[in-house]
Structures are given as C-alpha cells and as structure tokens.
Amino acid sequence: QVQLVESGGGLVQAGGSLRLSCAASGRTFSSAAMCWFRQAPGKERDVVAAINSRDGTYYADSVKGRFTISRDNAKNTVYLQMNSLKPEDTAIYYCASRLIGRGAVALKPAEYAYWGQGTQVTVSS
C-alpha cells in the first residue's frame, strides 16, 4: 500500500513562492503517475499539475508558467514549486498517486488510488 504525506503549505503574500513536497511510501514509486489537486472553499477538486512515470508533465492553464511539478524517484518524493502566487491560488492542495504500474497521467480524482491529507496554501493580497 502507498501512503502519502504532504508538507510545505503556509501563508504567503501575492507574488511570493512556496514549494510543496509529497513523500510516498511503498514499492515501485517510479511506476505510478502522480498528481497535485487543489480544492478551494465551495469549489470542486481540480487538477493543477501531474507527472507521468517517464517525467512527462501536465499543467492546468491557470498555473502554466508559474508552477512546476517534478519527482525525485530516489527520495520517493514529488514536488510542486509555486511561483508568482495569486490570491486565487488559495486552496487545500492534495497529492495523489495512481495504482503502482499505472504510469499514465489522469485528470479525474476517481482515477487516483492514494491520497495525502492535504496542505493549506493561503495567498494574501
């Protein structure tokens, strides 16, 4: 079984930066696609960035050019570097993993088997 633990959230001023980390347990971490979702109050949970088992990436239009997803397979960790943050980026950010061996990116929450507890990101204006 895979367990995910997020860290790195906090309060930052508009224009600032944060780096989120997601540490994973379990075998063959590198063979599973990983994703960052976010959920703001009163809104649906939406994908912000994803990375497949061969380091191919996907970004939502709202974050493209500002956010970067990466993975370090030796450390069993995926990162989300967030630059030029805006108040509309305020949300709880969740790390998610597909089943081991499913390396293709998916964009729906139901297609991810393992989830972290979430970390709050708040951007002040």
Side-chain angles (χ1 to χ4, degrees):
Q1 296 181 346
V2 175
Q3 294 179 317
L4 306 176
V5 179
E6 300 113 328
S7 62
L11 175 64
V12 66
Q13 291 183 324
S17 298
L18 286 172
R19 187 179 72 167
L20 306 183
S21 298
C22 175
S25 64
R27 296 186 64 187
T28 61
F29 165 82
S30 63
S31 71
M34 304 288 292
C35 188
W36 288 96
F37 290 85
R38 68 184 181 188
Q39 188 166 25
K43 294 188 176 181
E44 297 266 332
R45 186 173 299 185
D46 293 325
V47 61
V48 296
I51 186 165
N52 68 19
S53 61
R54 295 184 291 183
D55 290 345
T57 57
Y58 166 87
Y59 298 95
D61 287 343
S62 60
V63 307
K64 192 172 184 178
R66 300 188 297 121
F67 291 11
T68 302
I69 188 170
S70 62
R71 66 194 302 162
D72 186 337
N73 293 331
K75 296 181 179 179
N76 278 3
T77 301
V78 63
Y79 303 95
L80 185 67
Q81 178 67 46
M82 304 185 293
N83 298 325
S84 301
L85 283 162
K86 304 174 181 179
E88 50 263 45
D89 295 319
T90 295
I92 300 174
Y93 284 70
Y94 297 91
C95 177
S97 174
R98 301 199 73 191
L99 289 168
I100 294 170
R102 300 199 179 196
V105 164
L107 303 181
K108 301 290 187 181
E111 294 175 310
Y112 287 82
Y114 307 105
W115 291 82
Q117 80 285 356
T119 185
Q120 176 70 46
V121 171
T122 302
V123 184
S124 61
S125 60

